[in-house]
Amino acid sequence: MYHQILLCADGSNGSLLAAAVAAELAIRFNSRVSVLSVFFPTPLLTSFGEAPEAAACLETVITIGEDQHEAIQRSVGRVLRDHGVESSEVREFGHPVDTVISVAKTISADLIVMGSRGMSGFKSLLLGSVSDGVLHHAHCPVLIVR
């Protein structure tokens, strides 16, 4: 039924619960799982324009994003491995809703699994409004885990 599951992860407790559910589904349907983490730099971090410090600031933002991707993939990967499920990693920078929709189409996902609410504040990668946006625009079923 589900050959390719896209698991959206942001490191929150909700995304770890979603990982456990995705693992159970992958076992049941013998599905592949791709774990997507999206880093969306806030406008404040990217609004330095032509300032001399802009290049250094952009480099810092990218480093922060990569560090968050690493931490997310490590924690979610642990949940999947504990269930005996292998996964592939997808790391993206961009608007979370647009990125989830795009990646789901690119990998031909049959199902998108995500938590209902992500982390808040600066560390926000997937928000409640993101799950709502994905529900309304996805080409495939979306499972929201609470």
Side-chain angles (χ1 to χ4, degrees), residues 56-67:
C57 181
L58 182 58
E59 188 173 311
T60 300
V61 169
I62 291 170
T63 300
I64 291 168
E66 288 300 327
D67 290 347

Side-chain angles (χ1 to χ4, degrees), residues 4-146:
Q4 177 66 57
I5 297 172
L6 177 62
L7 171 61
C8 303
D10 67 357
S12 67
N13 288 336
S15 72
L16 295 177
L17 289 172
V21 170
E24 292 294 330
L25 289 168
I27 292 166
R28 181 179 200 122
F29 296 108
N30 195 29
S31 308
R32 293 182 312 274
V33 177
S34 295
V35 180
L36 171 63
S37 58
V38 180
F39 181 71
F40 183 51
T42 64
L44 176 64
L45 292 175
T46 58
S47 64
F48 290 97
E50 298 297 319
E53 300 83 13
C57 181
L58 182 58
E59 188 173 311
T60 300
V61 169
I62 291 170
T63 300
I64 291 168
E66 288 300 327
D67 290 347
Q68 287 192 342
H69 283 309
E70 276 298 319
I72 291 164
Q73 295 289 346
R74 198 171 33 254
S75 64
V76 171
R78 188 176 311 117
V79 171
L80 294 172
R81 281 190 307 279
D82 287 350
H83 284 81
V85 173
E86 293 185 27
S87 63
S88 60
E89 297 179 1
V90 182
R91 300 173 181 200
E92 297 288 339
F93 285 79
H95 186 275
V97 173
D98 297 341
T99 303
V100 170
I101 299 303
S102 174
V103 170
K105 286 179 183 174
T106 299
I107 68 169
S108 300
D110 301 307
L111 177 68
I112 299 171
V113 178
M114 60 194 314
S116 63
R117 294 180 190 256
M119 299 171 74
S120 60
F122 172 73
K123 292 184 178 180
S124 175
L125 299 174
L126 293 176
L127 303 170
S129 61
V130 172
S131 57
D132 185 60
V134 171
L135 273 171
H136 285 91
H137 300 288
H139 74 282
C140 63
V142 179
L143 175 60
I144 306 295
V145 178
R146 297 181 80 186

